[in-house]
Amino acid sequence: MALFNNPPVASKSLRVLARLLGYPDAELRGNLAELRQALHGERALPPQRLAELDALIDSLAHPEPLDTEAAYVELFDRGRATSLHLFEHVHGDSRDRGPAMIDLAQTYEKAGMYLAEGEMPDFLPVVLEFTSTQPPREAREFLAEMAHIFNAIFSALQQRGSAYACVLGALLELAGEKAQPVQVAAEEPIDAAWEEPLVFDGCSSKGQARPDQPQPIHIVRKGRPIEGAQA
């Protein structure tokens, strides 16, 4: 059970984690030292997790940036279970994803955060940037709503032996949860990925499929494996 008493101030750490999950371009590589310093300076995460994040930061400073960039695309843009678009894990390709996107974007705007052109509101780095602007207790509760998705992505990354798993582990800790490997559903054929769920089938296999569910996020916890998806 998550404990929400006296959550740590983690606004800087959340912004660093958001950046580490972004595309490893030249700008990111040029800021790695500052990102490391911010993580250690805030001390919102335990030493073991910081050591793992240090290892990830070191790997992003690889002398062959094209290899690092190609590995990122292969990991996050070509696999369902490791998708960083959260609504992929909730709505899949169903028609409910669009309204959920609009609701989440409106939540950002009410808080004074406006997306740049081309940014998707459910992209995890964007979600973390928003979360970093919230008071500590609200930020932790918001992260806790998504903890089961973080666990699913964490498990998928661990299965692939990816150093990025430590970022999801850190998010779970900031949510007051424990990173626990879960069963990752096998990738379904591409043809099945584009099938629409039955209109009157209650909650679809992709997650909640009821347009009247509260948004944003408000993930419904399910006692079953979560399928990731690729847009």
Side-chain angles (χ1 to χ4, degrees), residues 10-96:
S11 57
K12 291 182 181 179
S13 296
L14 286 168
R15 288 195 291 272
V16 171
L17 296 175
R19 192 65 188 95
L20 290 177
L21 287 176
Y23 185 74
D25 54 16
E27 181 181 359
L28 173 60
R29 293 192 296 272
N31 292 327
L32 290 176
E34 289 80 2
L35 295 176
R36 189 197 308 268
Q37 183 179 3
L39 280 174
H40 285 266
E42 192 167 57
R43 298 182 181 180
L45 294 165
Q48 181 178 356
R49 189 65 69 191
L50 288 174
E52 294 175 353
L53 290 165
D54 282 341
L56 172 62
I57 289 172
D58 289 341
S59 72
L60 294 175
H62 193 278
E64 296 294 335
L66 291 180
D67 292 342
T68 302
E69 294 168 6
Y72 178 92
V73 171
E74 184 67 28
L75 182 64
F76 292 120
D77 294 346
R78 295 180 181 171
R80 294 179 172 281
T82 55
S83 174
L84 295 179
H85 290 275
L86 299 185
F87 286 150
E88 294 279 8
H89 300 269
V90 182
H91 302 295
D93 297 315
S94 78
R95 65 192 64 186
D96 298 314

Side-chain angles (χ1 to χ4, degrees), residues 172-208:
L172 285 162
E173 288 165 347
L174 292 177
E177 304 284 349
K178 183 178 180 181
Q180 297 178 332
V182 297
Q183 181 180 355
V184 178
E187 303 280 0
E188 64 181 337
I190 189 64
D191 290 342
W194 290 98
E195 291 179 359
E196 281 288 331
L198 297 177
V199 176
F200 300 107
D201 196 33
C203 290
S204 75
S205 62
K206 298 295 186 181
Q208 72 182 52

Side-chain angles (χ1 to χ4, degrees), residues 1-5 7 137 140-141 143-145 147 171-178 221:
M1 180 178 180
L3 299 177
F4 296 107
N5 293 327
R137 184 179 299 276
R140 174 167 283 197
E141 291 174 350
L143 291 174
E145 292 182 9
L171 291 178
L172 285 162
E173 288 165 347
L174 292 177
E177 304 284 349
K178 183 178 180 181
R221 294 183 183 274

Side-chain angles (χ1 to χ4, degrees), residues 94-125:
S94 78
R95 65 192 64 186
D96 298 314
R97 189 179 177 192
M101 288 279 201
I102 294 173
D103 288 343
L104 185 54
Q106 290 175 343
T107 296
Y108 294 161
E109 292 175 3
K110 290 177 182 177
M113 175 178 164
Y114 295 87
L115 300 178
E117 184 177 357
E119 281 189 326
M120 302 294 285
D122 70 332
F123 186 47
L124 183 51

